Amino acid sequence: MKYSNCNGAVRWSGGLTVLKAGQSIDDDHPLVIERPDLFTDDSPEPDIKKPAKPGRTASARIESATRAPGERRGTRRNAKGKGGTGSD
């Protein structure tokens, strides 16, 4: 497998071909045989890379807005010992 190392339209004996850097092509393709200078054996960097910490996604850090069945959530009390905002 070869990979294009340029962007643009290339004129060759098979016509006109548009190449994008990193685009793959078979080793025995006539364009590779005719114009080996346009290709490399080195594979390109992936467009989407692995997360920095595997298994940890953005959704894991978001808390739920509603209580799950059986879940107990505590309430905060103000200085007077009553619930609420304290603006009574």
Side-chain angles (χ1 to χ4, degrees), residues 12-53:
W12 60 294
S13 64
L16 185 68
T17 301
V18 177
L19 295 176
K20 178 181 153 190
Q23 184 176 12
S24 63
I25 189 169
D26 287 330
D27 292 330
D28 59 350
H29 191 281
L31 177 57
V32 174
I33 295 168
E34 186 175 324
R35 297 291 308 271
D37 57 307
L38 300 176
F39 303 95
T40 181
D41 290 325
D42 301 330
S43 61
E45 288 288 319
D47 293 331
I48 300 175
K49 298 180 182 179
K50 294 179 183 177
K53 294 181 180 177

